[in-house]
Amino acid sequence: MSNKTKVLFVCLGNICRSPLGEGIFRKIVVDAGLADCFEIDSCGTGAWHVGHLPDPGSIKVAERHGIDLTTQRARQLAAKDLTDFDYILAMDQNNLRNINLLGSVCGKLHLLREFDPLHSKDLNVPDPYGLPGDSFQEVFEIVERCCQVFLTAVKENL
């Protein structure tokens, strides 16, 4: 049995936002010297892109920040994930609702933007799918801010 803290990032198709969450959080954790303390993954609530690489926009913006997403492949959220992970971070209200429909998550489910010090009333990470490249940079910045704050919050429980 692993005593690593298990963190799952969830968006709709697991090709834009959640792969960025996984990649960004992994880099932050490694940079903090805490790689041995975490298991990090991502998935989507939908099955449209299962087995696919992340969106080229996500890959490109991540590369500009020294993060490689090309080892990731999209997968769909499974009921088993609800028990296997300590933290499940949804990118928006729709995904939060879909996760709740799959089963009980007993306090481990959060919207990622709950950890955004700059958020307004909107707790949704915008979906850059099909939008211009600068949309991916905006999402990167939001996710990175949230991941930094989330790590600070979680370190208290390590």
Side-chain angles (χ1 to χ4, degrees), residues 81-101:
D81 293 325
L82 303 183
T83 55
D84 285 355
F85 285 88
D86 302 304
Y87 296 95
I88 301 170
L89 303 172
M91 294 293 168
D92 62 35
Q93 296 283 349
N94 288 333
N95 290 299
L96 185 81
R97 201 168 19 261
N98 290 336
I99 294 165
N100 276 317
L101 289 173

Side-chain angles (χ1 to χ4, degrees), residues 5 87 152-158:
T5 300
Y87 296 95
T152 300
V154 171
K155 278 196 315 191
E156 296 172 5
N157 297 322
L158 291 179

Side-chain angles (χ1 to χ4, degrees), residues 2-23:
S2 170
N3 34 345
K4 291 184 177 189
T5 300
K6 297 179 180 182
V7 180
L8 182 65
F9 293 87
V10 184
C11 69
L12 187 60
N14 192 213
I15 61 167
C16 295
R17 297 170 291 173
S18 56
L20 282 171
E22 178 184 345

Side-chain angles (χ1 to χ4, degrees), residues 7-135:
V7 180
L8 182 65
F9 293 87
V10 184
C11 69
L12 187 60
N14 192 213
I15 61 167
C16 295
R17 297 170 291 173
S18 56
L20 282 171
E22 178 184 345
I24 291 167
F25 191 64
R26 187 177 315 280
K27 181 177 188 319
I28 290 170
V29 163
V30 167
D31 290 351
L34 298 170
D36 292 340
C37 299
F38 288 92
E39 183 177 312
I40 306 161
D41 199 1
S42 64
C43 64
T45 56
W48 310 279
H49 302 290
V50 169
H52 295 178
L53 280 166
D55 185 280
S58 289
I59 291 172
K60 183 183 262 185
V61 73
E63 282 177 351
R64 285 198 306 262
H65 295 275
I67 300 169
D68 180 14
L69 302 183
T70 61
T71 60
Q72 295 184 32
R73 295 296 179 272
R75 72 175 185 87
Q76 187 174 18
L77 178 70
K80 183 177 183 304
D81 293 325
L82 303 183
T83 55
D84 285 355
F85 285 88
D86 302 304
Y87 296 95
I88 301 170
L89 303 172
M91 294 293 168
D92 62 35
Q93 296 283 349
N94 288 333
N95 290 299
L96 185 81
R97 201 168 19 261
N98 290 336
I99 294 165
N100 276 317
L101 289 173
L102 193 57
S104 173
V105 286
C106 300
K108 59 173 83 176
L109 176 60
H110 301 273
L111 285 165
L112 181 63
R113 282 198 89 173
E114 290 173 29
F115 301 96
D116 187 348
L118 302 181
H119 80 76
S120 58
K121 292 178 183 177
D122 185 5
L123 292 177
N124 295 318
V125 175
D127 189 350
Y129 184 73
L131 298 177
D134 58 339
S135 302

